[in-house]
Amino acid sequence: MTVPPPDVHPGTTGPRSATVRRLRSFYPQWFYTPAIALYVVFFAVPTFASFYFALTRWTLFDTQFIGFDNFVQFFEDPQLVQGFTHTFIYGVVTSVLKVVLGFLLAVLLTSPIIGRGYLRAVVFFPVIVSTVGVGLTFKSMLDPFHGVVNAALSVVGIDGPGWLTDPKLALLSVAAVDIWKGLGVATLIFIAGIVAIPQEYFEAARVDGASSWATLRRITLPLSRPAIATVIILSLIGGLRSFDLIWAMTNGGPGYTSDVIGSVIYKEYQAGFYGLSTAGNVVLFIVVTAIMLPLSRFLNRKEVDL
């Protein structure tokens, strides 16, 4: 009696069996096809198209290739450069404060306090509210003449400033609202990171007589590094891509003092400068990518020194 080779089933030939094995090994790869198709259609193609249209003067019906003229004009226009500068100020301010305040709130909301679950819900509530709705609400509240904020300050004898009409305060006022709205996500990520720390570390610290500050500095903070990295990356990307809240509250005003690159690009689109605004998008994409890739690699290093 002849025994078939291990790779050949009875009733099948060798080449056919090899083909079946190749098909079976390739079978799981088909599950990637829908995701790859969506990525190509909704990300890769628009991205490469943006790089091309940034080199053109285009309308809905005509395209004229002009090389790097849009980029030259972008960096020569003071309004565009100012919007670019405001974008980085806004992104850094909002991300730093979200990280610091979110971590402190997470430490508080993971400690044994009364009403901890309710407080967590209160902190996260602004996240689920519409950004445009938040912007319009705070625009009314911060009105220098009829807003409730200045009305409350006047009760205690303080003459409230023009939060959204003072060129020195407009951008920072919007940043404060952005921090309030996005703080819940940062806090939630930090809570997840702190809860994931094994309790044995804290028990050992208590046995050794470590103070709360020492426990925070030597255990909670280092072991929350993955959560810190996630919050920094998400907050900074969100800050650099900001548009909707600023547009709802100030429209980039007064003047151009609260314009960020997103609002400037939108104004250029409104004015019909499609190629110039596309070039602004490309510049922002390149700069954000150049910042986030090394920052992400640096923050996600595995070494944690305790």
Side-chain angles (χ1 to χ4, degrees):
M1 179 177 179
T2 304
V3 179
D7 292 338
V8 179
H9 297 285
T12 63
T13 61
R16 181 182 177 184
S17 177
T19 302
V20 171
R21 288 198 305 274
R22 283 196 298 269
L23 290 175
R24 287 177 177 175
S25 64
F26 187 72
Y27 174 73
Q29 310 302 322
W30 288 104
F31 290 100
Y32 294 106
T33 304
I36 294 174
L38 291 175
Y39 178 83
V40 170
V41 172
F42 293 106
F43 182 80
V45 172
T47 299
F48 287 108
S50 297
F51 278 90
Y52 169 73
F53 284 110
L55 303 174
T56 65
R57 183 179 292 113
W58 64 276
T59 65
L60 294 177
F61 309 102
D62 185 37
T63 302
Q64 178 185 358
F65 186 83
I66 59 174
F68 291 96
D69 289 354
N70 285 326
F71 294 95
V72 174
Q73 184 178 351
F74 177 86
F75 287 107
E76 289 180 348
D77 191 333
Q79 177 187 345
L80 294 172
V81 175
Q82 185 182 35
F84 208 78
T85 304
H86 290 165
T87 300
F88 283 96
I89 295 174
Y90 187 91
V92 171
V93 169
T94 54
S95 59
V96 168
L97 290 178
K98 284 178 184 178
V99 170
V100 175
L101 297 178
F103 182 77
L104 295 177
L105 277 174
V107 171
L108 175 65
L109 296 178
T110 51
S111 60
I113 59 174
I114 299 176
R116 182 173 61 182
Y118 171 76
L119 293 176
R120 288 180 179 179
V122 170
V123 171
F124 191 76
F125 173 75
V127 177
I128 64 177
V129 183
S130 166
T131 301
V132 176
V134 168
L136 296 176
T137 300
F138 274 92
K139 181 178 180 179
S140 176
M141 293 175 60
L142 296 175
D143 185 275
F145 304 106
H146 309 291
V148 297
V149 174
N150 281 1
L153 292 175
S154 64
V155 173
V156 294
I158 300 176
D159 187 15
W163 300 102
L164 302 178
T165 56
D166 186 339
K168 297 179 180 180
L169 294 177
L171 186 64
L172 296 178
S173 298
V174 179
V177 177
D178 191 328
I179 293 166
W180 173 81
K181 187 182 186 311
L183 190 60
V185 172
T187 304
L188 183 65
I189 295 173
F190 280 129
I191 288 175
I194 293 174
V195 170
I197 299 174
Q199 292 300 310
E200 290 80 1
Y201 291 106
F202 299 105
E203 294 172 0
R206 284 194 293 269
V207 170
D208 292 340
S211 64
S212 299
W213 167 248
T215 301
L216 176 66
R217 184 171 61 89
R218 302 295 297 174
I219 297 177
T220 307
L221 189 59
L223 295 180
S224 298
R225 182 170 180 168
I228 295 173
T230 301
V231 174
I232 291 175
I233 293 172
L234 293 179
S235 300
L236 189 55
I237 292 176
L240 295 176
R241 294 174 56 251
S242 58
F243 165 73
D244 44 3
L245 185 63
I246 291 175
W247 191 256
M249 293 184 67
T250 65
N251 283 29
Y256 305 108
T257 55
S258 65
D259 258 331
V260 293
I261 192 63
S263 60
V264 172
I265 290 171
Y266 183 72
K267 290 178 180 179
E268 296 295 338
Y269 270 117
Q270 285 183 319
F273 299 108
Y274 303 129
L276 182 61
S277 55
T278 305
N281 272 319
V282 170
V283 171
L284 181 62
F285 172 80
I286 294 174
V287 171
V288 171
T289 303
I291 293 174
M292 298 313 302
L293 286 180
L295 180 63
S296 177
R297 295 190 63 178
F298 172 76
L299 293 175
N300 287 295
R301 291 184 306 176
K302 298 300 182 181
E303 298 85 9
V304 177
D305 298 325
L306 292 176

